[in-house]
Amino acid sequence: MLQHITLEQTLPLVFQGTGGEPPVAESQVWLRNLTLSRGSSYLITAESGTGKSSLCSFIYGIRTDYSGRILFDGEDIRNLGTGQWCRLRRESLAWLPQEMRLFPELTVMENIMIKNRLSDRYSEQEIRRMLQRLEIDNKADTRAEFLSVGQQQRVAVIRALAQPFDFIILDEPVSHLDARNNTAVAALVEETASAQGAAIIATSVGNHLSLHDPETIRL
């Protein structure tokens, strides 16, 4: 069980020595020491180009082009092997990338179940109830390529939730949603995370996920 994610003086390499560094003097993340703890909610607000998606990719371990260190319960993630990363991504870390990455040729249910089968977290009936809560249950058998962007975003949220996790990382999860759907997504995310004692890390440039009393962190 992953309890803490710590960033120590972390900074994307692209920001070093270019003359175009982000306003790190104002950042509460870059070149700081920051610990994110299981069971808490965090809203990371950012301006475009300050490394929001990079931060998510660093924590998820798919990019390593940063200086400083990122620690999982005190262990530098650069030292983790492939097997350890597979276990973490199956049991401890859930991620919704900004570009969603749905398979366009698969239906909504197929997109979700291809992830859910890795852990058999939910039954098909439970997945359909999630779809109903986000008002897309009538799209369960529709291929993802025929959905609106907002519908795709709701499907991607459910797919991200379809596993056990200690931390869920959501990169601009409601950028294409109106206020009503934002509220519905936030409620589902918070309920699912709370049931596992998990942390929520949500990023935003504009439209914020409507979490209840998150700790706001400026990137």
Side-chain angles (χ1 to χ4, degrees), residues 124-207:
E124 182 174 334
Q125 185 178 15
E126 288 171 318
I127 295 293
R128 289 186 181 276
R129 282 200 291 266
M130 290 184 183
L131 291 169
Q132 186 174 28
R133 285 188 59 173
L134 299 190
E135 300 181 3
I136 47 175
D137 51 308
N138 62 328
K139 301 294 183 179
D141 299 316
T142 300
R143 283 162 49 176
E145 63 185 324
F146 298 124
L147 302 179
S148 70
V149 177
Q151 290 168 340
Q152 289 180 26
Q153 197 159 49
R154 282 174 277 169
V155 173
V157 167
I158 294 173
R159 187 178 65 175
L161 295 171
Q163 67 167 92
F165 57 86
D166 300 312
F167 287 80
I168 185 166
I169 306 161
L170 305 164
D171 192 6
E172 291 201 64
V174 294
S175 56
H176 300 286
L177 302 185
D178 58 22
R180 183 169 60 84
N181 283 307
N182 183 331
T183 299
V185 165
L188 180 60
V189 169
E190 287 189 309
E191 287 176 25
T192 307
S194 177
Q196 303 178 75
I200 301 168
I201 303 171
T203 72
S204 175
V205 171
N207 190 17

Side-chain angles (χ1 to χ4, degrees), residues 7 9 21 25 44 50 59 69 85 90-91 94-95 105 107 116-117 123 125 132 135 142 147 185-187 190 215:
L7 283 75
Q9 300 296 308
E21 289 87 349
I44 299 178
T50 56
I59 293 173
R69 299 200 303 167
W85 275 115
R90 186 174 60 250
E91 301 175 1
W95 181 43
E105 72 278 13
T107 69
N116 189 68
R117 289 192 193 101
S123 67
Q125 185 178 15
Q132 186 174 28
E135 300 181 3
T142 300
L147 302 179
V185 165
E190 287 189 309
E215 179 180 344

Side-chain angles (χ1 to χ4, degrees), residues 16-137:
Q16 295 183 339
T18 63
E21 289 87 349
V24 294
E26 300 176 4
S27 175
Q28 295 174 303
V29 178
W30 302 135
L31 297 180
R32 301 288 185 268
N33 294 335
L34 172 68
T35 295
L36 308 172
S37 298
R38 187 172 180 271
S40 300
S41 295
Y42 303 94
L43 178 62
I44 299 178
T45 62
E47 296 180 3
S48 181
T50 56
K52 168 187 55 61
S53 294
S54 296
L55 174 64
C56 297
S57 297
F58 296 159
I59 293 173
Y60 200 65
I62 62 171
R63 286 179 53 186
T64 60
D65 52 320
Y66 60 87
S67 60
R69 299 200 303 167
I70 299 175
L71 310 176
F72 287 175
D73 291 339
E75 181 175 5
D76 192 329
I77 66 173
R78 293 184 188 274
N79 299 328
L80 298 177
T82 301
Q84 291 170 295
W85 275 115
C86 288
R87 179 182 57 79
L88 282 164
R89 292 169 185 158
R90 186 174 60 250
E91 301 175 1
S92 295
L93 291 175
W95 181 43
L96 170 62
Q98 182 181 352
E99 60 272 24
M100 297 179 279
R101 300 184 185 177
L102 296 177
F103 295 101
E105 72 278 13
L106 299 184
T107 69
V108 166
M109 280 300 298
E110 288 169 342
N111 265 284
I112 297 170
M113 294 305 290
I114 201 170
K115 167 79 173 293
N116 189 68
R117 289 192 193 101
L118 296 175
S119 61
D120 289 323
R121 181 67 181 177
Y122 298 108
S123 67
E124 182 174 334
Q125 185 178 15
E126 288 171 318
I127 295 293
R128 289 186 181 276
R129 282 200 291 266
M130 290 184 183
L131 291 169
Q132 186 174 28
R133 285 188 59 173
L134 299 190
E135 300 181 3
I136 47 175
D137 51 308

